[in-house]
């Protein structure tokens, strides 16, 4: 098989050519769609012999050049567009140029270096996610080409941003779909414990080596901020709290108290450290356990809260899980609604790619109704602007956050 790391694989003059089938959506690809699916590409023996991550020249069925792609025969997304220029050299300088453009946006958006620096295709680096935590960066190389060129990505990242520590987080479903192994390791520098991250007036503790995903979810930042506007003098319940995302933001916004619920003891310990760092520990409490069981227990205890937030994991990560996932979201809404004080607020979230906003909103409304409540939608949020999306990839706008005001 061809080695994707050899210089000849990166040299436009010697790289292999792959070709679209006649019925493929060539126009959509020319207009910006970044993926070629397995049934759209001619997969002869030569193409099948290409190593995952190989850089290739893409042509349409009429042999007209369309751009430079990376190929992985193990994936349903068999090719990803890297550059519309078929002669592009995919090297450290090319990567650095993409990182520089991504950094310019984030530097304009945020006064401190805590953000998603690279959001895959939308930032011109297909399958690559990079979160920045000050002088520490975490790379998720979720595509085979990024795995193969990870040393070049890391070197360009250090050069462009000046970060001193770089972590590879090789976990998650995306890597499995690409046929890549799971591993997390330190590529450069040193990380001495959790990294403090300042957002929305709160301090969060990110475990970049052993935490969930990259250690912190930057995508909910604007929704944390909106929740904080509802939280003054309120009793707040944050279910599926992870490291205290909504709870700590609510406390920073003046909440009287916040209770964080999660199944992970290490995550709740980080939330407690964040509350301590922000001077909020006296108003903050945690409760470890299964979210559904804890909500049932709180209802049995007669507890009610002015603001309840539920931000569960993806119940419908793919279409086969959609029906069961929507039922799970409905169940969350039903149990959470019972804990909202009259006239209080309920925030429900979904990070499921397969569940679109309308489906998620309808499931939430059914659950609220089953809980014997009615409400009005106040605000619908998505991921922050450090998570840009391509217009051609509507499904990449995965995060849905809906705030309701429930009846009295």
């Amino acid at each position: 098989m061809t080695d994707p790391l050899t210089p000849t694989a990166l040299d436009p003059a010697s790289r292999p050519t792959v070709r679209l089938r006649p019925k493929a959506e060539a126009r959509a690809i020319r207009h910006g769609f970044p993926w070629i699916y397995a049934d759209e590409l001619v997969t002869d023996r030569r193409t099948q012999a290409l190593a995952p991550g190989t850089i290739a020249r893409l042509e349409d069925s009429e042999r007209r050049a369309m751009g430079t792609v990376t190929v992985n025969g193990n994936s349903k997304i068999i090719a990803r567009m890297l550059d519309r220029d078929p002669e592009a050299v995919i090297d450290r300088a090319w990567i650095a140029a993409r990182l520089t453009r991504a950094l310019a946006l984030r530097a304009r958006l945020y006064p401190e270096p805590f953000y998603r620096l690279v959001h895959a295709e939308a930032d011109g680096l297909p399958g690559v996610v990079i979160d920045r935590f000050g002088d520490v960066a975490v790379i998720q190389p979720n595509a085979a080409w990024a795995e193969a060129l990870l040393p070049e990505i890391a070197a360009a990242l250090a050069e462009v941003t000046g970060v001193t520590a770089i972590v590879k987080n090789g976990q998650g479903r995306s890597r499995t779909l690409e046929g890549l192994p799971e591993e997390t390791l330190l590529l450069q520098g040193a990380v001495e414990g959790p990294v403090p991250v300042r957002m929305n007036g709160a301090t969060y503790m990110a475990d970049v080596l052993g935490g969930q995903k990259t250690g912190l979810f930057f995508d909910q930042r604007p929704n944390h901020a909106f929740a904080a506007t509802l939280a003054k003098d309120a009793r707040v319940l944050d279910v599926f709290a992870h490291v205290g995302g909504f709870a700590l933001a609510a406390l920073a916004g003046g909440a009287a108290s916040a209770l964080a619920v999660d199944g992970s003891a290490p995550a709740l310990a980080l939330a407690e450290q964040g509350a301590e760092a922000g001077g909020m520990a006296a108003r903050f409490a945690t409760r470890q356990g299964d979210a559904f069981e804890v909500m049932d227990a709180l209802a049995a205890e007669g507890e009610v809260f002015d603001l309840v937030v539920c931000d569960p994991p993806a119940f419908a990560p793919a279409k086969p899980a959609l029906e069961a996932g929507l039922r799970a979201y409905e169940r969350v809404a039903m149990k959470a609604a019972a804990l909202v004080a009259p006239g209080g607020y309920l925030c429900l979230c979904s990070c499921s790619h397969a569940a679109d906003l309308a489906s998620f909103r309808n499931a939430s409304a059914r659950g609220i109704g089953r809980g014997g409540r009615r409400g009005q939608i106040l605000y619908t949020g998505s991921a922050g602007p450090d998570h840009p999306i391509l217009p051609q990839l509507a499904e990449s706008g995965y995060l849905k956050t809906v705030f309701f005001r429930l009846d009295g």
Side-chain angles (χ1 to χ4, degrees):
M1 299 179 74
T2 303
D3 182 354
L5 288 174
T6 60
T8 54
L10 299 177
D11 178 12
S14 59
R15 67 174 51 133
T17 297
V18 294
R19 188 168 297 114
L20 294 179
R21 295 176 183 268
K23 293 184 179 181
E25 293 290 338
R27 179 180 297 180
I29 296 167
R30 285 197 174 92
H31 289 174
F33 192 77
W35 297 340
I36 297 92
Y37 295 105
D39 61 355
E40 295 181 309
L41 200 71
V42 175
T43 50
D44 53 22
R45 291 174 59 187
R46 181 182 54 82
T47 301
Q48 292 172 345
L50 297 176
T54 295
I55 309 298
R57 173 189 177 95
L58 177 68
E59 295 181 348
D60 65 14
S61 60
E62 303 297 322
R63 300 179 183 269
R64 292 172 295 200
M66 297 184 69
T68 299
V69 296
T70 172
V71 181
N72 182 359
N74 297 329
S75 174
K76 290 183 179 180
I77 304 175
I78 195 170
R80 299 171 185 261
M81 184 66 72
L82 290 173
D83 201 298
R84 300 288 159 181
D85 179 2
E87 306 302 320
V89 177
I90 311 302
D91 58 7
R92 186 182 303 182
W94 181 90
I95 295 167
R98 300 290 168 109
L99 290 174
T100 298
R101 183 174 183 270
L103 178 61
L105 171 63
R106 278 69 179 187
R108 182 175 291 272
L109 291 171
Y110 304 109
E112 294 186 279
F114 306 115
Y115 40 67
R116 173 148 295 180
L117 174 63
V118 170
H119 195 51
E121 275 77 358
D123 283 304
L125 292 168
V128 178
V129 168
I130 303 176
D131 282 350
R132 184 176 183 183
F133 306 89
D135 292 331
V136 179
V138 180
I139 304 173
Q140 288 184 306
N142 294 328
W145 81 274
E147 181 80 6
L149 295 181
L150 185 58
E152 299 300 314
I153 295 173
L157 177 62
E159 171 190 325
V160 170
T161 65
V163 297
T164 56
I166 300 176
V167 175
K168 172 190 175 182
N169 182 301
Q171 309 291 327
R173 180 173 176 270
S174 296
R175 285 178 63 85
T176 301
L177 294 174
E178 284 279 303
L180 300 172
E182 292 198 354
E183 65 175 359
T184 296
L185 53 90
L186 188 62
L187 299 177
Q188 175 180 315
V191 177
E192 304 295 340
V195 181
V197 175
R198 294 179 295 274
M199 290 191 300
N200 292 319
T203 298
Y204 298 90
M205 305 304 292
D207 181 359
V208 298
L209 288 173
Q212 191 175 351
K213 297 293 181 70
T214 63
L216 193 66
F217 299 116
F218 286 122
D219 53 2
Q220 286 281 23
R221 179 179 352 213
N223 303 311
H224 291 165
F226 185 78
T229 65
L230 303 175
K232 185 171 177 56
D233 300 325
R235 295 187 69 213
V236 177
L237 174 64
D238 184 2
V239 185
F240 306 98
H242 190 226
V243 298
F246 281 93
L248 297 184
L251 290 173
S257 66
L259 174 62
V261 175
D262 202 272
S264 168
L268 291 177
L270 290 169
E272 289 173 340
Q273 292 177 38
E276 184 70 34
M280 307 168 179
R283 295 180 287 143
F284 183 65
T286 64
R287 191 156 171 172
Q288 183 192 357
D290 175 82
F292 294 100
E293 293 176 0
V294 172
M295 285 193 285
D296 284 341
L298 290 170
E301 295 162 15
E303 296 282 0
V304 291
F305 300 84
D306 303 298
L307 170 62
V308 176
V309 179
C310 292
D311 186 12
F315 288 143
K319 288 184 179 179
L322 179 58
E323 185 176 341
L326 291 175
R327 288 197 300 269
Y329 287 123
E330 182 177 334
R331 185 178 174 217
V332 167
M334 179 185 68
K335 292 183 178 296
L339 297 171
V340 179
Y345 305 97
L346 174 60
C347 170
L348 299 172
C349 311
S350 165
C351 59
S352 293
H353 285 270
D356 61 25
L357 176 59
S359 298
F360 170 66
R361 194 166 49 202
N362 290 340
S364 297
R366 287 195 301 271
I368 291 171
R370 286 179 59 196
R373 305 296 293 276
R374 295 182 181 180
Q376 58 188 164
I377 294 175
L378 294 184
Y379 175 77
T380 300
S382 58
D386 54 344
H387 291 63
I389 59 174
L390 293 177
Q392 298 84 1
L393 286 180
E395 65 267 34
S396 65
Y398 62 97
L399 182 65
K400 282 79 64 175
T401 300
V402 184
F403 287 82
F404 299 83
R405 185 175 188 268
L406 300 194
D407 58 12

